[in-house]
Amino acid sequence: MSFDADIVIAGGGLAGLSAAITANREGLSTIVLERGEYSGSKNVSGGRMYVHALSQLFPDALERAPLERPVTKETYEIYCEEGKKITFSFQHKTKNSYTILRAKFDQWLAKEAENEGVLISYTTLITNARREKDYVVIETNRGELKAPLVIDAGGITAPVSRFLGVKKLEPKTLMLGVKEVLDIKPEIPENEGEARTIMGLIGNLKGGGFVYTNKDTLSIGVTIKVESLYNSSIPSHEIVERFRESLGLSGNILEYSAHLIPYYGYDKIGKIHDKNLILVGDAAGFLINDGFNIRGMDLAIGSGIIAGKAAKKIKELNDYSRTDIYYEMLKESFVLKDMKTALRSFSVLSEEEVFTKYPKVICNVLGKLFTVTGDGKERPINVLLQESKSENVNTTKMLSDLMRLFI
Ligand SMILES: Cc1cc2nc3c(=O)[nH]c(=O)nc-3n(C[C@H](O)[C@H](O)[C@H](O)COP(=O)(O)OP(=O)(O)OC[C@H]3O[C@@H](n4cnc5c(N)ncnc54)[C@H](O)[C@@H]3O)c2cc1C
């Protein structure tokens, strides 16, 4: 049987390109199928990348890649009712994350891949996939391709895995991400940047928001659990608008985009490999949102690198059912280890009170602790119990939920 390549990679985003670069360096022939006119044309991201995985792919990436700003200042804001908010900030000593603009970044990565010899076929839409005895046939708008191994890097829709019946999309395991790029130049030095993580400005929806500083613009956006949109009184197209207005940001909108985000959690990821098939990045469900970080990009690059290396081992065995090799390698990597660590926060962040009642209780408690009237101070524990009661919150459960974010 003759094949079109050792591996066909579905999707030319971060995961697909990282897999292609690695597999190509390992000596495998690789074709990337990308539906967009260029890599990045269909990608959406709030644009803060933890760069450890990128540096693994290119040790000199920080000098060469089109990064916007290092995140040197981290700000966490919890909004309560009546304009009250709790804010805390700190300065990073090391530059472990940078803001990026995906259209620019993905094009750069694709160019790097092509310079190393990777073949990328643009405007190639995967319309179906079927399994033959020892290989997979991918159907596209440009014709069919056959390969003994397919890496599905097609993002949240996981096109090949869906067509092969390995993965399906379920609303309860999805988040909606909506992002805008605003024409507002940050008034801070070029070598500094800020990431704001914001809770409590999207009504009773389960989710949060962010504001990141780019070189000359701001990226703002919200991420919301899809199931919480069902009973929402706020139309989904208005959520980011209201969020922007609440923050008092009024620049021109240069870019608007909405995208689904996987929210499976470690225990619900499901299959990440099958005979002749490996899933990477969003297609596999690799995303961490633990209340402190949104991470999908480093997991996409990391899983792509591992997939490329696993593909080499699988080819050497000449047994394309042995995709478990990928899973074994992944288990030893930060990808699955960090997904596992974040498991508790996934369950905490599924609780509605975390987004609605807890911020109010915390704000009210702090408000009282910082107030002196001369009428005699209550003990902090009594203030906590009173404020929890007035919001109908079980204090023990609240404390245990908050602890679960840390343990
Ligand atoms: C609003 C928002 C904010 C986010 N913020 C952050 C953040 O700050 N930090 C972070 O680390 N992560 C963030 N993420 C998550 C991050 O963007 C993703 O985890 C990451 O992009 C996954 O990369 P990927 O390569 O797996 O998938 P994608 O980037 O989705 O790439 C998939 C590629 O496959 C192509 N494709 C899809 N279907 C087909 C088909 N049928 N045929 C051919 N090609 C196809 C697409 O065109 C695309 O190029 C955010 C996501 C959203 C939506």
Side-chain angles (χ1 to χ4, degrees):
M1 179 79 220
S2 79
F3 295 113
D4 293 290
D6 290 326
I7 323 173
V8 168
I9 299 181
L14 297 179
L17 293 169
S18 305
I21 290 168
T22 310
N24 181 63
R25 287 178 187 168
E26 296 284 349
L28 306 186
S29 62
T30 307
I31 301 178
V32 178
L33 307 178
E34 169 54 47
R35 65 182 169 169
E37 282 172 26
Y38 55 88
S39 282
S41 62
K42 305 277 182 191
N43 302 100
V44 177
S45 169
R48 182 233 187 111
M49 180 190 278
Y50 295 89
V51 287
H52 61 107
L54 178 67
S55 298
Q56 206 184 318
L57 198 59
F58 301 107
D60 59 348
L62 299 189
E63 286 101 65
R64 294 197 298 118
L67 306 169
E68 291 288 305
R69 286 172 183 265
V71 176
T72 51
K73 184 180 178 190
E74 202 85 46
T75 302
Y76 208 97
E77 297 165 42
I78 304 172
Y79 284 78
C80 321
E81 54 187 357
E82 297 152 18
K84 293 182 209 155
K85 70 167 173 170
I86 305 166
T87 307
F88 55 91
S89 295
F90 72 91
Q91 294 291 135
H92 279 288
K93 278 198 179 139
T94 55
K95 295 174 180 171
N96 71 106
S97 69
Y98 286 72
T99 54
I100 62 165
L101 292 169
R102 283 296 294 276
K104 216 200 269 183
F105 186 88
D106 286 26
Q107 276 185 83
W108 169 81
L109 190 58
K111 191 50 72 206
E112 291 290 317
E114 286 174 323
N115 288 344
E116 292 194 24
V118 171
L119 183 64
I120 307 177
S121 177
Y122 293 109
T123 58
T124 305
L125 177 73
I126 296 165
T127 52
N128 198 8
R130 60 179 199 275
R131 202 189 293 278
E132 298 290 342
K133 191 167 168 278
D134 295 322
Y135 59 95
V136 173
V137 181
I138 308 263
E139 298 172 22
T140 79
N141 57 335
R142 292 164 173 267
E144 290 189 351
L145 285 100
K146 297 186 191 78
L149 185 63
V150 174
I151 296 181
D152 191 346
I156 184 71
T157 58
V160 175
S161 313
R162 236 174 351 102
F163 290 132
L164 294 179
V166 173
K167 204 105 185 164
K168 61 177 180 197
L169 279 184
E170 290 184 39
K172 66 175 187 300
T173 55
L174 295 175
M175 293 188 88
L176 174 70
V178 189
K179 187 191 111 177
E180 291 178 349
V181 177
L182 301 179
D183 184 13
I184 299 177
K185 189 170 166 70
E187 290 174 358
I188 47 176
E190 285 270 312
N191 58 351
E192 292 178 16
E194 183 179 16
R196 294 169 64 187
T197 303
I198 297 162
M199 302 274 280
L201 274 188
I202 50 172
N204 58 358
L205 297 170
K206 291 184 194 172
F210 56 83
V211 179
Y212 300 144
T213 52
N214 302 316
K215 268 197 182 98
D216 300 313
T217 55
L218 290 185
S219 288
I220 78 160
V222 293
T223 55
I224 306 146
K225 281 205 82 181
V226 166
E227 61 180 10
S228 76
L229 289 167
Y230 298 155
N231 303 319
S232 165
S233 54
I234 314 174
S236 39
H237 64 274
E238 274 184 24
I239 299 168
V240 75
E241 200 174 312
R242 289 198 191 185
F243 175 71
R244 172 175 18 86
E245 284 169 5
S246 308
L247 292 171
L249 298 169
S250 58
N252 294 325
I253 301 166
L254 301 176
E255 189 190 303
Y256 170 91
S257 36
H259 200 75
L260 290 171
I261 307 174
Y263 195 71
Y264 303 126
Y266 179 77
D267 56 341
K268 298 197 180 62
I269 283 183
K271 277 196 172 176
I272 53 177
H273 67 96
D274 200 16
K275 199 177 158 217
N276 312 97
L277 179 69
I278 285 175
L279 287 76
V280 291
D282 276 11
F286 297 146
L287 188 112
I288 294 174
N289 182 358
D290 58 7
F292 300 100
N293 321 99
I294 301 180
R295 291 170 55 192
M297 294 193 248
D298 62 325
L299 302 174
I301 295 176
S303 58
I305 294 173
I306 293 168
K309 290 184 178 164
K312 161 85 168 173
K313 295 190 179 188
I314 295 166
K315 186 182 175 192
E316 277 170 359
L317 290 175
N318 195 26
D319 181 353
Y320 292 92
S321 66
R322 289 295 318 279
T323 49
D324 57 300
I325 290 174
Y326 167 63
Y327 177 60
E328 291 305 321
M329 291 170 73
L330 212 54
K331 272 201 302 195
E332 298 306 313
S333 76
F334 77 91
V335 178
L336 282 189
K337 285 183 180 166
D338 287 4
M339 286 284 296
K340 200 170 179 181
T341 307
L343 184 58
R344 278 172 198 273
S345 30
F346 267 83
S347 67
V348 177
L349 296 174
S350 301
E351 311 267 358
E352 192 176 322
E353 294 101 316
V354 173
F355 303 97
T356 52
K357 295 183 175 176
Y358 294 177
K360 279 190 202 163
V361 174
I362 296 168
C363 267
N364 291 344
V365 169
L366 287 174
K368 287 207 169 153
L369 293 182
F370 284 116
T371 303
V372 176
T373 60
D375 295 333
K377 288 281 280 180
E378 283 279 5
R379 287 172 58 212
I381 183 67
N382 290 341
V383 176
L384 177 63
L385 291 171
Q386 281 160 15
E387 293 303 327
S388 307
K389 196 172 169 196
S390 72
E391 287 298 332
N392 215 5
V393 163
N394 178 326
T395 316
T396 318
K397 180 171 180 305
M398 180 176 80
L399 292 176
S400 121
D401 283 347
L402 296 178
M403 281 301 290
R404 271 156 63 209
L405 287 176
F406 293 92
I407 54 176

